């Protein structure tokens, strides 16, 4: 059996894969099993921050891999402690809990918020407001946090205590906060899976005002938006606010599984010994790679991300087959005249990998994609979008 047949036979049928087997990659170029080359504008869903097998990341990972691959959290290791220090120094936060995925990073954030509220106000105060059309993960609790019924129906009963506010609807937000028992508000600043939709500044301001007034914990889910993706180190920095907790994963590890729940001073000591844990969390190899990634997300690189973003937006906005471009930085959702599925397929046929977010074509290129490659990809995307059906 070839790889596609083996996969169909033995892999649980949870994924609708594209008809493409990738065998190799370098930078923004991925190579299929028939030798064909693709410009990758999706980076494994915002994971390969510096593309495939980036030299600096590979050596950071490989060096650590030869020293010590895993210890469990019963012992101290350098990469984990140093990465936590770096995350805190870059954000003004206080402490970090490491896990292996976005869902786990959110689980930890939810536990911290619930315990903070229970310790201070009693166990009844346990409601976490999330937004409609949000996406927070696939575990039963992060699925419960996810404000999209399509993900819920087959898996009832869900974890209790989540209520869904319509994104950017300030009066809905106020009503739900005032209805009582709210412990926290959790949100993506740019809803990724929900269709690459940024929250408005006014809505974000109101979240933070209400949280101040009612002592609610603000949780920014930066799993997709984090680590330079939106043109700032974390997306909340675009809004001039600072959450009590942010979670991140995807691009942090640059291609290895790593989640982080980053805690401000206010909640830094809510969890104590035995309250939470992870066997793999803070793995030294993943953390060594992440240190090399964070160290490169400096002002110059972030400015370059914003410049590339402006370029893509202006090119695609002027394209006849495009009706809107939403998003921030190098996390963009393109509304096209032709159905997004067709665009994705035709782009692949012409050597460009893009993905979807709801009905939009989603672009998540490597943050260091070189200009020439980027221009080549955008020309192809424009041609595909505007071609006659
Ligand atoms: C991808 C994603 C998650 C889930 O991350 P996993 O690593 O797949 O568990 C959670 N929140 C957001 C905003 C995401 O984009």
């Amino acid at each position: 059996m070839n790889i596609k047949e083996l996969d169909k036979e033995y892999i649980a049928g949870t994924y609708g894969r594209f008809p493409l087997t990738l065998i190799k990659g370098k930078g923004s170029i991925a190579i299929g099993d028939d030798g064909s080359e693709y410009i990758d504008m999706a980076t494994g869903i915002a994971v390969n921050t510096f593309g495939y097998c980036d030299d600096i990341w590979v050596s950071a990972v490989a060096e650590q891999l030869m020293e010590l691959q895993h210890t469990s959290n019963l012992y101290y290791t350098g990469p984990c402690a140093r990465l936590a220090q770096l995350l805190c120094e870059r954000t003004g936060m206080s402490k970090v809990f490491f896990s292996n995925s976005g869902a786990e990073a959110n689980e930890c954030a939810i536990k911290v918020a619930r315990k903070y509220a229970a310790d201070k106000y009693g166990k009844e105060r346990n409601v976490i407001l999330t937004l409609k059309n949000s996406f927070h993960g696939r575990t039963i609790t992060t699925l419960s946090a996810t404000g999209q019924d399509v993900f819920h129906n087959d898996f009832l009963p869900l974890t209790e205590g989540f209520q869904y506010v319509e994104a950017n609807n300030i009066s809905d937000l106020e009503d739900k906060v005032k209805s009582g028992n709210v412990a926290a508000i959790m949100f993506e600043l740019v809803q990724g899976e929900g269709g690459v939709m940024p929250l408005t500044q006014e809505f974000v301001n109101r979240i933070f005002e209400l949280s101040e007034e009612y002592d609610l914990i603000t949780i920014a889910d930066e799993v997709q938006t984090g680590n330079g993706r939106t043109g700032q180190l974390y997306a909340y920095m675009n809004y001039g606010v600072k959450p009590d907790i942010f979670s991140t994963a995807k691009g942090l590890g640059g291609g290895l599984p790593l989640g982080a729940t980053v805690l401000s001073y206010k909640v830094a000591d809510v969890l104590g010994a035995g309250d939470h844990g992870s066997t793999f969390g803070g793995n030294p190899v993943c953390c060594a790679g992440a240190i090399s990634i964070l160290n490169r997300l400096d002002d110059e690189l972030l400015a370059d991300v914003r410049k590339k973003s402006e370029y893509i937006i202006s090119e695609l906005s002027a394209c006849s087959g495009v009706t809107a471009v939403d998003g921030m930085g190098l996390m963009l959702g393109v509304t096209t005249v032709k159905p997004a599925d067709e665009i994705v397929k035709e782009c692949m046929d012409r050597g460009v990998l893009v993905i979807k977010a709801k009905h939009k074509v989603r672009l998540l290129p490597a943050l260091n994609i070189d200009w020439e490659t980027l221009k080549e990809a955008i020309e192809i995307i424009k041609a595909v979008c505007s071609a006659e059906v």
Side-chain angles (χ1 to χ4, degrees), residues 6 8 38 45 49 53 73 83 102 132 141 181 183-184 189 199 219 271 288 296 350 363 382:
L6 273 180
K8 286 210 169 78
Y38 299 87
I45 320 183
T49 303
C53 302
N73 281 298
L83 176 60
K132 290 182 181 158
T141 292
N181 289 337
L189 289 144
L199 298 184
I219 305 170
L271 295 182
R296 291 160 75 188
R350 297 185 58 167
L363 305 181
K382 275 163 55 180

Side-chain angles (χ1 to χ4, degrees), residues 82-341:
R82 283 196 295 272
L83 176 60
Q85 177 191 23
L86 198 54
L87 277 166
C88 289
E89 285 177 356
R90 295 288 301 271
T91 60
M93 300 294 257
S94 296
K95 281 196 160 82
V96 182
F97 179 87
F98 286 119
S99 52
N100 316 287
S101 67
E104 286 172 278
N106 286 336
E107 288 272 347
C108 175
I110 291 164
K111 283 178 78 170
V112 171
R114 285 235 167 116
K115 187 160 186 294
Y116 174 89
D119 287 349
K120 208 163 162 185
Y121 301 101
K123 289 188 165 51
E124 302 70 42
R125 183 149 147 160
N126 56 34
V127 171
I128 298 184
L129 299 182
T130 63
L131 303 183
K132 290 182 181 158
N133 234 9
S134 57
F135 184 81
H136 297 298
R138 300 287 196 162
T139 63
I140 286 289
T141 292
T142 57
L143 201 62
S144 309
T146 292
Q148 301 191 53
D149 289 340
V150 285
F151 289 116
H152 291 165
N153 296 334
D154 293 335
F155 303 103
L156 306 174
L158 300 176
T159 304
E160 288 174 49
F162 290 94
Q163 283 180 26
Y164 315 110
V165 173
E166 196 184 319
N168 296 327
N169 183 332
I170 289 177
S171 62
D172 190 24
L173 172 70
E174 289 171 343
D175 290 347
K176 294 217 165 75
V177 167
K178 287 169 189 166
S179 69
N181 289 337
V182 177
I185 308 180
M186 180 164 163
F187 48 89
E188 300 153 86
L189 289 144
V190 182
Q191 295 191 319
E193 304 307 309
V196 200
M197 281 311 291
L199 298 184
T200 62
Q201 181 72 55
E202 297 69 38
F203 187 74
V204 172
N205 289 348
R206 200 68 191 118
I207 288 177
F208 282 81
E209 286 161 13
L210 289 164
S211 297
E212 178 89 30
E213 190 179 337
Y214 291 86
D215 192 20
L216 314 178
I217 299 300
T218 47
I219 305 170
D221 179 342
E222 296 262 9
V223 172
Q224 190 163 159
T225 52
N227 314 299
R229 181 55 52 189
T230 67
Q232 293 290 344
L233 189 57
Y234 291 97
Y236 68 80
M237 296 169 176
N238 289 300
Y239 288 85
V241 295
K242 192 181 166 205
D244 299 310
I245 304 173
F246 75 84
S247 57
T248 191
K250 291 195 167 91
L252 178 63
L256 285 175
L258 181 61
T261 310
V262 186
L263 308 169
S264 67
Y265 177 76
K266 181 171 172 174
V267 292
D269 299 314
V270 168
L271 295 182
D275 282 337
H276 199 43
S278 166
T279 301
F280 288 117
N283 173 278
V285 178
C286 302
C287 288
I291 289 171
S292 87
I293 299 234
L294 271 189
N295 276 334
R296 291 160 75 188
L297 299 178
D298 55 15
D299 289 345
E300 197 184 334
L301 183 115
L302 295 173
D304 204 44
V305 167
R306 297 192 293 269
K307 224 162 109 187
K308 285 169 181 161
S309 177
E310 280 166 29
Y311 164 74
I312 299 174
I313 293 170
S314 79
E315 287 292 315
L316 293 182
S317 303
C319 171
S320 63
V322 170
T323 53
V325 185
D326 299 298
M328 228 180 246
L330 291 176
M331 178 175 176
L332 297 169
V334 186
T335 308
T336 51
V337 176
K338 287 199 270 183
D341 281 318

Side-chain angles (χ1 to χ4, degrees), residues 369-381:
I369 186 170
D370 64 77
W371 279 98
E372 202 180 319
T373 309
L374 177 61
K375 283 176 180 166
E376 197 182 326
I378 294 302
E379 286 310 314
I380 293 170
I381 294 169

